[in-house]
Amino acid sequence: MTAPQERLGRAEVNAVASPENILLHLAEEQEAQVREIFAALEQRGFPTQHQTPHITITFAPRMEQPVVDLAEELLAPLMPATLQRMGTVVFGTRRKQTVAWLLETSDELEAAARAISTANPEGRGPRWIPHLTMGLRLPRAIVPDYIRALDELSPPELRQLTAAEAGLRVPSTDQFFPF
């Protein structure tokens, strides 16, 4: 029995908890570089970013086991995976917005992500927008300055990212189960 399967034996999670995610973690060195960017942005007066750098494949309040099994089957053989930074995007239309690096990857990883999202009843169907969140819940008024600072602080070698591992993240128990 794999760790994600054992996970399903736990008690039900409070409905207001953060969703469970199938995600990709960056290589350690690149994760450290992203955290350094977060720290430099904070030193410039921008909001603190607490999130672990990751690329979400799909999420749900509680990830169903068949989705976890499919994700393990499809993603494990593709790790490590290369993703290219293609630009910066802003998600959100209200007073709080998210700034992210838009990513592009191999056809194989793209197809796997779309299949996993489609299998997730809580998913977005076959849609997947690969991105790495660089600024979460930012006040709309600071977004242009945040993007300028992000551009200044982002080293050129981070144009290519490596997803070192895929797995299931269970925020309610603060656990990550790698595939």
Side-chain angles (χ1 to χ4, degrees):
M1 183 180 286
T2 66
Q5 289 167 323
E6 293 168 358
R7 172 201 61 87
L8 291 180
R10 68 176 172 44
E12 287 298 315
V13 176
N14 183 336
V16 296
S18 295
E20 296 182 356
N21 299 271
I22 303 293
L23 55 81
L24 308 175
H25 275 180
L26 299 179
E28 284 183 30
E29 179 181 316
Q30 289 178 338
E31 181 178 323
Q33 288 176 298
V34 170
R35 289 181 186 278
E36 288 171 10
I37 294 169
F38 289 166
L41 287 163
E42 183 179 3
Q43 286 177 343
R44 290 188 182 194
F46 293 106
T48 304
Q49 297 300 304
H50 298 286
Q51 69 272 16
T52 297
H54 68 277
I55 300 151
T56 300
I57 302 293
T58 192
F59 59 90
R62 180 178 168 100
M63 196 63 61
E64 293 187 7
Q65 189 61 48
V67 179
V68 174
D69 293 342
L70 178 64
E72 184 170 16
E73 174 189 331
L74 296 179
L75 294 174
L78 299 177
M79 295 298 114
T82 301
L83 298 102
Q84 300 292 328
R85 189 162 46 111
M86 302 306 292
T88 303
V89 294
V90 177
F91 294 110
T93 57
R94 300 198 176 174
R95 62 183 185 87
K96 296 285 184 172
Q97 297 183 332
T98 295
V99 172
W101 284 340
L102 182 64
L103 305 172
E104 193 171 86
T105 190
S106 69
D107 290 344
E108 295 82 10
L109 181 54
E110 180 90 20
R114 289 176 185 275
I116 295 161
S117 181
T118 300
N120 178 7
E122 302 284 335
R124 299 184 58 222
R127 292 180 302 276
W128 181 54
I129 302 171
H131 66 278
L132 179 67
T133 299
M134 296 302 294
L136 189 61
R137 296 183 195 96
L138 300 171
R140 183 184 190 126
I142 71 166
V143 168
D145 291 333
Y146 193 91
I147 291 172
R148 262 189 298 283
L150 178 61
D151 286 345
E152 291 170 11
L153 295 167
S154 299
E157 64 268 16
L158 278 182
R159 291 195 196 291
Q160 180 171 301
L161 301 172
T162 300
E165 65 181 347
L168 172 68
R169 173 89 177 120
V170 182
S172 64
T173 59
D174 194 28
Q175 290 180 292
F176 177 72
F177 300 97
F179 298 143

